């Protein structure tokens, strides 16, 4: 039986591990945290997972929360200028199939237990780059799905040609609050204040039941970049409410009257987007393969990281099972990473463009969404399937030609 070691039990590692156990592989997963540690720990993400990624989880029988998670039914977009009481663009578009946000603490703690129940071998411990050589000696293939951050920098160096940023592009913060569901839209509310930042809000199924996830994304050094060092959850909630009042007054009602989710329900930080070389060479000459955020880390602005992690697990699982008994050598790993990049380059481009001041053709498109539901629907579904971004909004001429065509059809 072929033996696979996966370091990291997050969205990417757990999903691949469960998929490969079901496919008859011997799988060892190394996790620095137990299921209880994860469940009782701090929130990890806002984790909006869209339909194409949910479909893969369903195919593996891992859609345990379908009956209780509040469906994320659409995207409500609004953009406004500071000081203005009303947005200058505002539209709502339903998603053809709802997305879901199941708190990763709920999901990953359950999947870790499920992995063991389905026959996987779990090792609890924090793997180091040095440990990878031992794993590579005992297994046919070693994957590193240990999330973002520098810990495996020496194994998977940054790919400068695909990484336009060397600094974080946003100060980010999130709180899962208690709020009356009637107070907020049961989809993703996306607010844009050009030059200031953004917010995203959505219904989340958390450890203690349904919650309101409010994510604030501030341009560094700008007037909304005020969350560093705020650890008190009540104070954090008040600061979130204040930012909405100041920069998104048309959305202020959604967080008024909310109760703080407590100290474990607050997360603040900064992420430098980076694409790495996905095949690592160890000092011993052995090779290992990166997945999920370890391979490609995006800023969370486009809600793509967890979705990327699912698609990475899906793509790697297919290639591993198709590979049969042949060796998992560097050439095979390069093929895996290339196939993942072939998907993730689209979400990375979409995501990185959202970090930039919106150019005229994007503003025109967002404005047209207000008048033409078809345009809003097409934009909203980029979050589902970002492969549609580049051929459309990646080119200003194509984008404007589409807007002319929609307007002519409607005339
Ligand atoms: C505030 C915020 C909001 C977000 N919102 C969204 C969103 O709405 N939609 C979306 O798609 N994405 C979102 N993301 C991004 C998404 O959460 C990540 O991209 C996704 O979780 C990456 O999955 P992963 O499995 O690669 O890594 P992780 O989820 O980070 O999992 C890595 C796992 O490895 C374990 N680990 C780490 N180091 C070691 C080690 N040395 N040894 C053993 N185990 C180790 C960790 O404990 C963890 O369990 C958001 C992120 C943040 C921070």
């Amino acid at each position: 039986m072929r033996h696979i070691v996966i370091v990291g039990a997050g969205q990417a590692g757990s999903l691949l591990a469960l998929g490969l156990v079901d496919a008859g592989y011997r799988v060892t997963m190394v996790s620095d945290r137990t299921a209880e540690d994860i469940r009782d720990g701090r929130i990890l993400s806002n984790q909006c997972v869209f339909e194409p990624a949910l479909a893969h989880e369903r195919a593996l029988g891992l859609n345990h929360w379908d009956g209780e998670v509040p469906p994320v039914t659409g995207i409500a977009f609004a953009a406004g200028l500071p000081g203005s009481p009303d947005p200058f663009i505002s539209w709502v578009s339903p998603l053809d199939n709802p997305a879901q946000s199941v708190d990763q603490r709920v999901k990953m703690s359950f999947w870790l237990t499920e992995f063991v129940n389905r026959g996987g071998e779990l090792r609890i411990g924090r793997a180091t780059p040095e440990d990878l050589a031992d794993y590579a000696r005992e297994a046919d293939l070693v994957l590193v799905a240990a999330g973002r951050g520098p810990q495996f920098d020496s194994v998977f160096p940054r790919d400068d040609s695909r990484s336009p940023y060397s600094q974080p592009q946003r100060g980010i913060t999130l709180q899962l609050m208690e709020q009356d569901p009637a107070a907020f839209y049961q989809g993703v509310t996306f607010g844009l204040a050009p030059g200031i930042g953004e917010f995203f809000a959505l219904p989340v199924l958390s450890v203690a039941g349904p919650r309101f996830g409010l994510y604030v994304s501030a341009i560094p050094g700008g007037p909304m970049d005020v969350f560093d060092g705020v650890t008190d959850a009540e104070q954090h909630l008040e600061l979130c409410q204040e930012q909405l009042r100041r920069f998104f007054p048309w959305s202020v009602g959604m967080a008024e009257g909310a109760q703080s989710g407590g100290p474990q329900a607050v997360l603040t930080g900064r992420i430098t987007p980076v694409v790495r070389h996905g095949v690592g060479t160890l000092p011993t000459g052995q090779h290992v393969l990166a997945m999920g955020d370890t391979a490609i880390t995006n800023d969370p602005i486009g809600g793509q990281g967890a979705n990327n992690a699912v698609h990475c697990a899906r793509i790697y699982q297919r290639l591993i099972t198709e590979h049969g008994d042949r060796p998992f050598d560097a050439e095979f790993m390069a093929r895996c990473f290339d196939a993942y990049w072939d998907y993730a380059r689209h979400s990375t481009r979409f995501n990185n463009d959202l970090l930039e001041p919106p150019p005229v053709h994007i503003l025109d498109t967002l404005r047209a969404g207000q008048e033409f539901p078809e345009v809003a629907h097409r934009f909203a579904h980029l979050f589902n399937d970002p492969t549609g971004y580049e051929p459309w909004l990646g080119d200003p001429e194509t984008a404007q030609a589409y807007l002319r065509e929609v307007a002519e059809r409607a005339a």
Side-chain angles (χ1 to χ4, degrees):
M1 190 189 280
R2 306 207 87 182
H3 182 201
I4 315 279
V5 169
I6 300 174
V7 174
Q11 179 74 56
S14 290
L15 210 55
L16 180 65
L18 279 151
L20 289 176
V21 163
D22 286 358
Y25 289 76
R26 177 181 164 207
V27 183
T28 303
M29 190 157 59
V30 185
S31 171
D32 61 349
R33 292 177 305 158
T34 64
E36 292 70 31
D37 295 336
I38 295 170
R39 201 179 162 87
D40 299 340
R42 185 177 292 279
I43 53 166
L44 300 158
S45 178
N46 221 12
Q47 69 264 311
C48 189
V49 177
F50 293 90
E51 166 58 21
L54 292 175
H56 182 61
E57 294 182 0
R58 271 200 300 277
L60 295 176
L62 295 170
N63 51 323
H64 302 278
W65 304 277
D66 282 359
E68 40 179 337
V69 60
V72 175
T73 57
I75 309 278
F77 173 79
L81 296 172
S84 168
D86 297 309
F88 61 87
I89 303 174
S90 171
W91 50 254
V92 179
S93 178
L95 288 168
D96 292 343
N97 294 289
Q100 288 181 2
S101 173
V102 177
D103 188 329
Q104 285 190 343
R105 295 174 300 173
V106 173
K107 209 175 195 177
M108 301 319 155
S109 56
F110 185 87
W111 284 357
L112 209 57
T113 310
E114 183 73 1
F115 170 70
V116 174
N117 290 342
R118 291 190 188 187
E121 183 202 340
L122 178 63
R123 290 185 202 162
I124 300 296
R126 189 167 177 80
T128 64
E130 294 69 40
D131 292 330
L132 298 180
D134 291 336
Y135 300 144
R137 261 189 293 278
E138 67 170 294
D140 296 287
L141 174 63
V142 176
L143 296 113
V144 183
R148 65 179 180 273
Q151 56 174 326
F152 290 98
D153 268 2
S154 60
V155 183
F156 305 109
R158 169 192 160 97
D159 181 343
D160 290 331
S161 68
R162 291 171 173 170
S163 306
Y165 304 112
S166 52
Q167 300 290 329
Q169 300 300 300
R170 293 291 186 273
I172 61 176
T173 197
L174 167 68
Q175 182 167 171
L176 299 189
M177 307 167 183
E178 286 186 53
Q179 178 61 309
D180 178 353
F184 62 99
Y185 173 57
Q186 294 296 297
V188 177
T189 306
F190 172 6
L192 169 67
I196 309 279
E198 304 79 19
F199 83 85
F200 296 86
L202 80 172
V204 178
L205 178 67
S206 189
V207 281
R211 287 289 181 274
F212 169 60
L214 179 61
Y215 173 90
V216 177
S217 158
I219 292 180
M224 207 164 65
D225 190 14
V226 292
F227 288 89
D228 282 354
V230 180
T231 50
D232 180 81
E234 299 290 341
Q235 198 190 340
H236 184 273
L237 168 62
E238 280 168 27
L239 208 49
C240 287
Q241 291 166 328
E242 194 183 311
Q243 303 318 302
L244 288 184
R245 280 184 221 116
R246 244 183 113 186
F247 300 114
F248 306 96
W250 58 90
S251 286
V252 74
M254 64 170 54
E256 295 298 309
Q259 305 289 309
S260 147
Q264 298 289 56
V266 175
L267 183 69
T268 299
R270 288 165 201 266
I271 295 173
T272 302
V274 60
V275 178
R276 297 177 184 282
H277 292 282
V279 181
T281 306
L282 304 178
T284 53
Q286 297 152 304
H287 295 99
V288 292
L289 177 59
M291 61 182 307
D293 270 11
T294 301
I296 298 167
T297 305
N298 285 329
D299 181 282
I301 193 167
Q304 294 298 308
N307 291 275
N308 276 349
V310 176
H311 290 293
C312 184
R314 174 180 61 76
I315 290 164
Y316 284 8
Q317 185 184 329
R318 178 175 59 75
L319 291 172
I320 289 168
T321 51
E322 282 175 3
H323 202 60
D325 289 333
R326 285 169 287 165
F328 295 122
D329 53 16
E331 185 270 329
F332 168 78
M333 294 184 199
R335 219 151 32 79
C336 289
F337 182 68
D338 288 349
Y340 174 41
W341 175 244
D342 204 38
Y343 171 83
R345 71 189 170 88
H346 297 283
S347 51
T348 301
R349 169 85 196 268
F350 173 48
N351 212 84
N352 288 349
D353 281 8
L354 284 172
L355 291 168
E356 299 298 325
V360 171
H361 71 283
I362 304 263
L363 277 177
D364 285 351
T365 300
L366 289 167
R367 205 175 275 115
Q370 199 163 252
E371 193 179 345
F372 305 110
E374 165 188 335
V375 177
H377 178 271
R378 189 171 175 189
F379 191 90
H381 283 77
L382 292 175
F383 291 91
N384 260 39
D385 179 7
T387 62
Y389 176 79
E390 210 162 20
W392 172 29
L393 294 171
D395 173 41
E397 244 326 290
T398 309
Q400 297 292 4
Y402 170 66
L403 294 183
R404 283 194 297 274
E405 181 208 313
V406 172
E408 276 163 25
R409 257 193 283 123

